[in-house]
Amino acid sequence: MLDTIRKNGVRLALFAAVTTGLTAVVNTVTRPTVEHQTAVQQKILLDQVVPPENYNNVMQQECYVVTDSALGNDKPHRLYIARKDDRAVAAALETTAPDGYSGAIQLLVGADFHGKVLGVRVVEHHETPGLGDKIDLRISDWITRFSGVQLRGAQDNHFAVKKDGGDFDQFTGATITPRAVVNAAKRATLLIETLPEKISALPVCGDANE
């Protein structure tokens, strides 16, 4: 009986060792492919909020970390700088709309340093299908209406949903979600305007506790 238990134990140990080894090998082999695909998808997303004709640097290589309550919480958010011939011309900034109908909505906002929104995309959300999920580009083109909108300061009442006197459509039966996105985009755009003189003092991605 004891010999059988020992043999089974040895078999299980060998199986675990082999499995662990194979997993490590697979991870090592596939990591470059996964990292490449992640970089490609990130590039596609950045180009949706800062059109590539606006810059000629590699935005992913100029990544900083911003921590500001205007971004919806006190967590670090990534900031990517767009440069044209070495001159900083725009930025893409992660932000959070904490007041979505079904929880926080994660966004990426692109804008120049003069209040012009270049693009906004929803990165993650849990909004109600058929109602609030129209913020998702896969469901509706509503989010594309931010592109080219000029924000004229914090008191710009046009940068709001129509129910609040602004220019952005709300959804039938769902105002909370678009309002949350519009307000978060507004706060992020205002913050981007203040960044040119702060860039050199910001922590670089990977050097901060993200």
Side-chain angles (χ1 to χ4, degrees):
M1 182 69 175
L2 289 174
D3 287 343
T4 301
I5 293 173
R6 289 194 190 96
K7 288 178 181 178
N8 289 338
V10 170
R11 289 193 187 102
L12 286 172
L14 287 172
F15 178 77
V18 170
T19 302
T20 301
L22 286 173
T23 301
V25 169
V26 170
N27 285 340
T28 300
V29 171
T30 60
R31 184 180 299 119
T33 300
V34 172
E35 290 176 349
H36 173 72
Q37 289 301 319
T38 299
V40 168
Q41 293 303 313
Q42 186 182 55
K43 166 69 171 162
I44 290 172
L45 183 61
L46 287 171
D47 283 348
Q48 289 180 14
V49 299
V50 181
E53 61 267 22
N54 289 16
Y55 68 97
N56 54 18
N57 67 318
V58 181
M59 286 181 67
Q60 291 148 295
Q61 294 180 3
E62 190 163 354
C63 177
Y64 301 91
V65 178
V66 177
T67 303
D68 194 299
S69 59
L71 299 176
N73 53 46
D74 293 324
K75 296 179 181 179
H77 290 75
R78 285 187 290 269
L79 165 75
Y80 302 91
I81 299 298
R83 293 183 182 275
K84 191 80 167 182
D85 300 330
D86 293 327
R87 182 174 65 89
V89 294
L93 179 61
E94 294 177 344
T95 189
T96 301
D99 48 353
Y101 183 79
S102 299
I105 301 168
Q106 306 303 327
L107 305 167
L108 185 66
V109 177
D112 67 15
F113 299 121
H114 306 287
K116 182 180 179 180
V117 182
L118 302 175
V120 177
R121 289 294 183 272
V122 172
V123 178
E124 181 183 342
H125 74 90
H126 305 282
E127 298 304 282
T128 308
L131 291 173
D133 67 342
K134 293 184 181 69
I135 59 174
D136 193 324
L137 186 61
R138 294 171 297 182
I139 308 297
S140 150
D141 66 354
W142 178 84
I143 199 75
T144 65
R145 297 170 194 178
F146 286 93
S147 300
V149 174
Q150 182 68 45
L151 174 60
R152 292 178 171 81
Q155 305 307 315
D156 186 352
N157 294 325
H158 292 282
F159 207 101
V161 295
K162 289 181 177 177
K163 192 170 183 177
D164 298 334
D167 295 339
F168 289 93
D169 291 331
Q170 58 261 357
F171 309 144
T172 302
T175 300
I176 293 175
T177 301
R179 177 187 287 135
V181 172
V182 170
N183 289 340
K186 181 177 183 178
R187 292 192 297 268
T189 301
L190 288 171
L191 183 57
I192 288 172
E193 283 191 83
T194 71
L195 290 176
E197 296 178 358
K198 302 177 182 178
I199 294 173
S200 61
L202 293 173
V204 177
C205 294
D207 292 346
N209 295 322
E210 298 179 68

